[in-house]
Amino acid sequence: MSQTTSDPRYGLKPPKRPMRISWSDERFRGIVWQVVVVAIVAAIFWWLWSNTVRNLEVRRIASGWGFLGREAGLPIAESVIPYDPTNTYLRALTVGVLNTLKVAIIGVVLATVLGTVLGVLRLSKNWLVSRFVGAYVEVVRDLPLLLQLLFWYAVLQGLPGPRQAVNPATGVFLSNRGLKLPWFEWLDAHSWALLACVIGIVLTLIWRKKALARQMADGQPRRVWPVALLLCIGAPLAVWAAQGAPFSPDIPYLRGFNFQGGLTVSPEFFALLVGLTLYTAGFICEIVRAGILAVHQGQWEAAGALGLPRGRIMRLVVLPQALRVIIPPMTSQFLNLTKNSSLAVAIGYQDIVSIANTTLNQTGQAIEGIAAIMLVYLTISLSISLFMNWYNTRIALVER
Amino acid sequence: MSVTVNHTPSPALPPPSRVMAGGPLGWVRANLLNGPINAAVTLLLAYLVVRYAISFIDWAFIHAIWEVPNDRFGRPDTALCRDNKGIGACWAVIGEKHRFILFGTYPYEEHWRPAIVCVLFIALYIVSAMRRFWRKELVLVWVATLTIIGILMWGGVFGLSYVPQERWGGLPITLILATFGLAFAFPLAILVALGRRSRLPAIKALCVLYVELIRGVPLISLLFMASVMFPLFLPEGMNIDKLLRAQVAIILFAGAYLAEVVRAGLQALPKGQYEAADALGLSYWQKTGFIILPQALRLVIPPLVNTFIGFFKDTSLVLIIGIFDLLTAAKTSIIEPQWQGFAVEVYVTVGLIYFIFCFAMSKYSAGLEAELNRHRVR
């Protein structure tokens, strides 16, 4: 070993030979091939581009992003930010992006929770439970998502009208107008309390890190949950109470042929969310199961030998190791869910695809419309990838 | 201080109860009723499963309506079904519309042609799935079958009447999109995967760009591109029909995903295989064709089949650009006023068709995985 490394020739590359202009020289061939391929690709794109320019001229289609500032005149049923048809196309597209993000974020959270629970249940020692979850996964994964979305939408539309709405709890109504939930009037005090809660979570995380560091130093475990309770629940409550604890419930009620008040979940959004969640949960379940199975049986046995109960083995020993296997495929599932949310257009939920599609139909500017869709999804995909890669390196095995 | 050590051994404990082992009763105890929580979960789940299974059977079979009479205009009268809504299924809609769902607007007297096409496709899949037939001749079988399918669908020769492509629909369209899509996407994927691992920077960059761009956007945006943007790309007077444009979009999309699967196989191959091939003095294409690809593809057959399942399902997305595949036909079949509101029945039936195809593929993939990994099991 030391002999090799001390050898002065070690690590030297062979001397560079001058390239010969001959077909028998590998490097020359490589350069010729690359030039040929790039030239062909460039020629194809140039041809398409020149056709497009000519077609746009002939059909008198304007190009450029000027239409973004014009009045959209397209109605949008549900929106996170205030919007009306007299707003510009830019605002309409923004509403679309926010609607996409809304369904994607809620969907990712719900699918992760449901999928993880199902993945653990799939490995249950209870035969009925594991078979039941297995059957669910098989059915959900072998049917096209679009079919499932149409199915859920049809089921929701087949529900009785508001007057005969299903009413499982006070203030909760499920009808063909969607889901109605009790809510409350959102006041400034609530915003402050929410802020306090976020700060509390951050402080708790810092506290936990310090507690762990001190436990590493002296071996004494410290309780984190009382602090967490105080910071995450107590402090926001105190902030809310300090402002007079305002609370005015907004419970939906039936008036005439429709509901008044409350929080509305439209049938389109509800069907999309249910479909996406159930579908993606099926895939996440299998990923979690494979991840847990990938942890060596010896880890279970060693942790058991230390006297840890099964639940703690799972939480402290197996899951942290399984996460390393789980995270990369999970990332692609999150990306899939986000991209699949574009199927919303088939059931009439107005996400970015739906609104961009209407825009391009109204303005005739197909290239810009589709470019907008692609740009939005590329940005979202890239952000999720970057975040998950960061998380993945954080939990990756620190090797010596 | 003296320490006394007790040398008398403690009496042996009785052996654990043997009730848990053996027999169906023992199995039930071990797998369903071990511990009070598990027993409670089992009972609750069993109750729910049985209850919903009974109400499903009630809806789907016992209270279902299988046929409806015609009204005085000769149209089916669905009043009976409407009264029965929520109580029993109305399978009469399937009886009335199954030809339309399966074959779309293909001329009614000629339905035997798409029917044979579907059978041919299925036979082609089965033959391709058998390892006995994994030979070079299989390519010829594919070419021959796809040619026959083309002749049957279009007609215009051998006394078959000509059917324009706009009238095709239903299951054949789904099978055509999936089969032709994969048949063309697969070679493309192999080239791209090789390109991505190439040492030539320009080719590598092109392949990375292609794969990452396609994988970053949803299939719908590509389909939209094919349906509204593609006509702008072509010189005037040159027209490619919509089905072909959608087919190209699916090929490009599938190519990027399959390329990543193939690349995983190329990466998993030990470096020694590449070096040994180089040492024999094989050229790049000899090395790739004889040494690398046969091993790399074998490694990734199970994930390839899983990707195939994904694309089979994804062909249904052409509904959004209005191409008449199985799902579109199903959705269209319930547009008539008298059949409106029976979507669930139609979707359940179409779902069953998709399920049969995908389930067969997924079971096949699992079996193949077990078979190919047999040498690893100790």
Side-chain angles (χ1 to χ4, degrees):
Chain A
M1 193 71 172
S2 60
Q3 204 182 359
T4 336
T5 42
S6 61
D7 190 328
R9 284 169 302 176
Y10 178 79
L12 283 184
K13 284 182 181 160
K16 254 196 173 172
R17 193 164 44 74
M19 191 178 76
R20 282 174 297 127
I21 310 293
S22 150
W23 196 243
S24 60
D25 187 310
E26 197 189 346
R27 272 188 295 158
F28 176 73
R29 280 205 311 263
I31 289 175
V32 171
W33 277 122
Q34 293 184 69
V35 170
V36 169
V37 170
V38 171
I40 291 174
V41 172
I44 292 174
F45 273 94
W46 183 81
W47 182 67
L48 295 177
W49 180 249
S50 60
N51 285 335
T52 312
V53 171
R54 200 170 321 129
N55 280 324
L56 288 180
E57 268 171 27
V58 171
R59 299 180 198 189
R60 292 168 190 248
I61 301 174
S63 57
W65 296 95
F67 72 93
L68 284 178
R70 292 213 302 271
E71 186 184 311
L74 72 103
I76 299 179
E78 53 189 309
S79 163
V80 185
I81 51 172
Y83 171 86
D84 70 280
T86 57
N87 288 142
T88 59
Y89 277 115
L90 184 62
R91 188 146 181 112
L93 290 173
T94 313
V95 170
V97 174
L98 290 177
N99 278 348
T100 294
L101 286 178
K102 182 170 106 177
V103 76
I105 290 170
I106 301 177
V108 161
V109 172
L110 290 182
T112 309
V113 172
L114 182 64
T116 311
V117 170
L118 287 177
V120 173
L121 288 182
R122 181 83 175 84
L123 291 170
S124 159
K125 287 223 167 91
N126 189 319
W127 182 87
L128 191 64
V129 171
S130 80
R131 280 307 158 104
F132 182 77
V133 176
Y136 164 82
V137 170
E138 198 66 63
V139 169
V140 158
R141 297 206 313 172
D142 283 346
L143 292 175
L145 175 61
L146 188 56
L147 177 71
Q148 296 187 34
L149 290 181
L150 291 174
F151 174 82
W152 290 119
Y153 192 52
V155 167
L156 281 181
Q157 284 188 323
L159 285 175
R163 282 171 166 244
Q164 288 90 36
V166 184
N167 189 356
T170 337
V172 179
F173 295 97
L174 190 62
S175 71
N176 57 8
R177 303 282 174 90
L179 182 67
K180 278 280 183 184
L181 294 170
W183 196 238
F184 55 90
E185 209 179 323
W186 191 267
L187 299 166
D188 279 351
H190 299 116
S191 302
W192 287 114
L194 191 67
L195 187 67
C197 183
V198 171
I199 295 173
I201 290 172
V202 173
L203 288 179
T204 309
L205 289 178
I206 296 173
W207 176 270
R208 181 170 169 267
K209 210 171 172 183
K210 285 207 169 149
L212 274 179
R214 271 182 288 169
Q215 182 181 346
M216 288 294 165
D218 62 8
Q220 289 297 313
R222 286 175 179 80
R223 284 199 180 139
V224 180
W225 66 265
V227 182
L229 207 66
L230 193 73
L231 285 173
C232 299
I233 312 263
L237 278 179
V239 169
W240 179 57
Q243 298 186 30
F247 180 69
S248 51
D250 182 13
I251 293 170
Y253 58 94
L254 191 67
R255 183 199 249 167
F257 291 103
N258 208 347
F259 295 104
Q260 300 287 320
L263 187 74
T264 313
V265 184
S266 71
E268 290 82 17
F269 179 76
F270 197 46
L272 182 65
L273 189 65
V274 168
L276 282 176
T277 304
L278 293 182
Y279 183 75
T280 314
F283 287 86
I284 290 181
C285 167
E286 285 298 279
I287 291 172
V288 170
R289 183 181 82 108
I292 293 174
L293 285 180
V295 176
H296 202 275
Q297 190 62 32
Q299 297 287 327
W300 284 95
E301 290 162 1
L306 288 177
L308 290 175
R310 211 182 137 84
R312 278 196 160 187
I313 298 178
M314 191 67 156
R315 192 161 57 86
L316 297 174
V317 178
V318 176
L319 271 186
Q321 300 185 65
L323 269 185
R324 296 193 190 112
V325 187
I326 290 173
I327 292 297
M330 200 80 125
T331 310
S332 53
Q333 283 311 316
F334 292 166
L335 291 175
N336 280 350
L337 188 143
T338 312
K339 285 183 278 173
N340 282 337
S341 73
S342 60
L343 298 184
V345 66
I347 55 171
Y349 175 70
Q350 283 170 310
D351 74 329
I352 176 67
V353 174
S354 164
I355 290 176
N357 193 30
T358 319
T359 305
L360 74 87
N361 281 335
Q362 285 182 356
T363 60
Q365 293 191 298
I367 298 178
E368 286 82 357
I370 287 166
I373 297 176
M374 291 189 161
L375 214 63
V376 167
Y377 280 102
L378 277 179
T379 314
I380 297 175
S381 300
L382 217 61
S383 322
I384 296 182
S385 295
L386 285 179
F387 173 75
M388 292 306 277
N389 281 346
W390 167 80
Y391 185 62
N392 197 22
T393 35
R394 225 182 72 97
I395 61 156
L397 197 61
V398 183
E399 286 183 62
R400 276 170 291 217
Chain B
M1 265 198 15
S2 70
V3 180
T4 40
V5 179
N6 187 2
H7 282 290
T8 43
S10 48
L13 293 168
S17 154
R18 301 291 298 168
V19 181
M20 297 298 256
L25 211 65
W27 182 88
V28 167
R29 284 203 190 200
N31 291 297
L32 294 176
L33 303 173
N34 46 338
I37 299 177
N38 242 336
V41 168
T42 304
L43 289 179
L44 182 72
L45 192 60
Y47 167 73
L48 288 176
V49 167
V50 169
R51 201 188 129 175
Y52 283 101
I54 287 176
S55 57
F56 176 76
I57 290 170
D58 227 32
W59 176 82
F61 300 106
I62 296 175
H63 289 116
I65 294 173
W66 302 87
E67 271 175 88
V68 287
N70 283 354
D71 65 5
R72 56 204 171 82
F73 303 110
R75 282 181 316 209
D77 179 14
T78 53
L80 211 62
C81 275
R82 286 197 190 282
D83 295 339
N84 199 25
K85 235 178 154 205
I87 304 165
C90 178
W91 298 119
V93 64
I94 305 298
E96 178 80 14
K97 294 285 183 188
H98 69 278
R99 296 277 285 257
F100 181 80
I101 294 173
L102 282 177
F103 305 127
T105 50
Y106 208 85
Y108 194 81
E109 320 74 58
E110 305 283 336
H111 274 183
W112 58 273
R113 279 157 57 180
I116 292 181
V117 164
C118 293
V119 173
L120 277 177
F121 268 125
I122 293 166
L124 189 62
Y125 300 153
I126 292 174
V127 168
S128 314
M130 289 191 206
R131 296 187 72 183
R132 232 180 318 154
F133 296 113
W134 288 1
R135 284 186 255 148
K136 290 206 178 79
E137 291 82 3
L138 193 59
V139 178
L140 292 179
V141 174
W142 269 70
V143 172
T145 317
L146 294 186
T147 314
I148 297 172
I149 283 169
I151 293 172
L152 276 172
M153 287 305 282
W154 262 300
V157 282
F158 307 125
L160 296 170
S161 60
Y162 173 70
V163 179
Q165 187 260 305
E166 290 80 48
R167 305 221 27 202
W168 301 5
L171 186 58
I173 291 280
T174 295
L175 296 178
I176 286 171
L177 284 174
T179 314
F180 281 84
L182 292 170
F184 285 96
F186 193 50
L188 174 71
I190 291 177
L191 283 181
V192 172
L194 289 173
R196 209 176 162 166
R197 284 179 55 81
S198 155
R199 264 173 301 180
L200 309 175
I203 290 177
K204 188 175 174 177
L206 277 178
C207 293
V208 171
L209 197 68
Y210 161 70
V211 170
E212 297 305 327
L213 267 184
I214 299 270
R215 278 162 36 103
V217 298
L219 175 55
I220 289 200
S221 65
L222 289 180
L223 288 174
F224 272 137
M225 200 166 150
S227 81
V228 296
M229 212 161 129
F230 202 69
L232 291 176
F233 286 165
L234 295 176
E236 264 183 287
M238 186 172 163
N239 244 330
I240 299 182
D241 70 62
K242 208 172 178 183
L243 183 67
L244 189 57
R245 292 192 315 240
Q247 180 77 77
V248 170
I250 287 179
I251 290 172
L252 287 178
F253 187 73
Y257 279 82
L258 290 175
E260 286 299 275
V261 177
V262 174
R263 188 167 73 104
L266 293 176
Q267 275 178 347
L269 213 59
K271 215 176 165 193
Q273 296 292 329
Y274 291 86
E275 291 166 354
D278 282 337
L280 285 176
L282 298 180
S283 77
Y284 177 78
W285 291 110
Q286 281 174 329
K287 178 173 79 172
T288 309
F290 295 133
I291 312 285
I292 307 301
L293 277 183
Q295 299 185 69
L297 291 183
R298 179 171 293 257
L299 280 178
V300 291
I301 288 173
L304 275 178
V305 180
N306 285 337
T307 321
F308 288 175
I309 299 176
F311 290 117
F312 188 80
K313 292 186 292 176
D314 278 348
T315 55
S316 62
L317 263 61
V318 295
L319 175 138
I320 290 162
I321 55 168
I323 286 174
F324 233 79
D325 78 327
L326 183 60
L327 190 56
T328 318
K331 203 176 170 223
T332 316
S333 69
I334 38 177
I335 274 186
E336 277 172 46
Q338 68 262 39
W339 292 115
Q340 263 176 22
F342 300 107
V344 171
E345 285 87 343
V346 171
Y347 291 147
V348 166
T349 313
V350 172
L352 203 63
I353 298 177
Y354 276 108
F355 183 80
I356 290 169
F357 277 100
C358 294
F359 186 69
M361 277 193 273
S362 111
K363 280 287 147 222
Y364 171 70
S365 153
L368 205 59
E369 195 167 2
E371 200 177 329
L372 292 176
N373 284 333
R374 204 190 279 156
H375 63 281
R376 291 197 200 156
V377 179
R378 270 170 293 198

